[in-house]
Amino acid sequence: MPDTEQENTTVTQSLGDLLIERGKLDRAGLDRAERLRGETNERIDTILTKLGMVSEGDMAEALAAHLDLPLVEKDDYPVAAILEDRISTNF
């Protein structure tokens, strides 16, 4: 069974390094977030966005790059509602 704490540390380091490389975060900010992660057990991405240290958009881009996943853009969504006759607008 993998060591979850070790995996969290690895993800934190690599995601933090990526944000620093992109100029979205500084080392002091990452250190602060890591201390808070130790106290709260929250994920580093959650802490950084909650504190306003990294915008949600910048975090989404960094996570997409880190995980090698495409980021969905506005143009990827349909212009008109789909299944409009089958799904209520409240949904």
Side-chain angles (χ1 to χ4, degrees):
M1 179 183 255
D3 181 8
T4 305
E5 183 62 29
Q6 184 178 357
E7 287 176 351
N8 285 343
T9 300
T10 302
V11 169
T12 297
Q13 289 171 341
S14 54
L15 180 59
D17 291 340
L18 181 61
L19 288 163
I20 290 170
E21 287 172 19
R22 291 176 168 216
K24 305 300 181 182
L25 182 66
D26 60 19
R27 177 59 55 190
L30 180 58
D31 291 344
R32 178 178 175 213
E34 286 175 339
R35 283 192 305 276
L36 286 170
R37 185 177 66 87
E39 295 172 11
T40 65
N41 289 326
E42 285 185 283
R43 292 181 357 192
I44 196 74
D45 58 318
T46 302
I47 293 170
L48 290 170
T49 54
K50 268 187 179 179
L51 293 176
M53 299 171 91
V54 176
S55 72
E56 289 180 357
D58 289 339
M59 182 60 71
E61 289 174 1
L63 284 169
H66 178 68
L67 299 171
D68 197 27
L69 294 171
L71 188 60
V72 176
E73 300 289 336
K74 178 182 172 186
D75 294 338
D76 294 328
Y77 290 94
V79 176
I82 58 172
L83 302 175
E84 197 170 14
D85 58 328
R86 296 174 61 193
I87 299 175
S88 77
T89 56
N90 291 335
F91 178 75

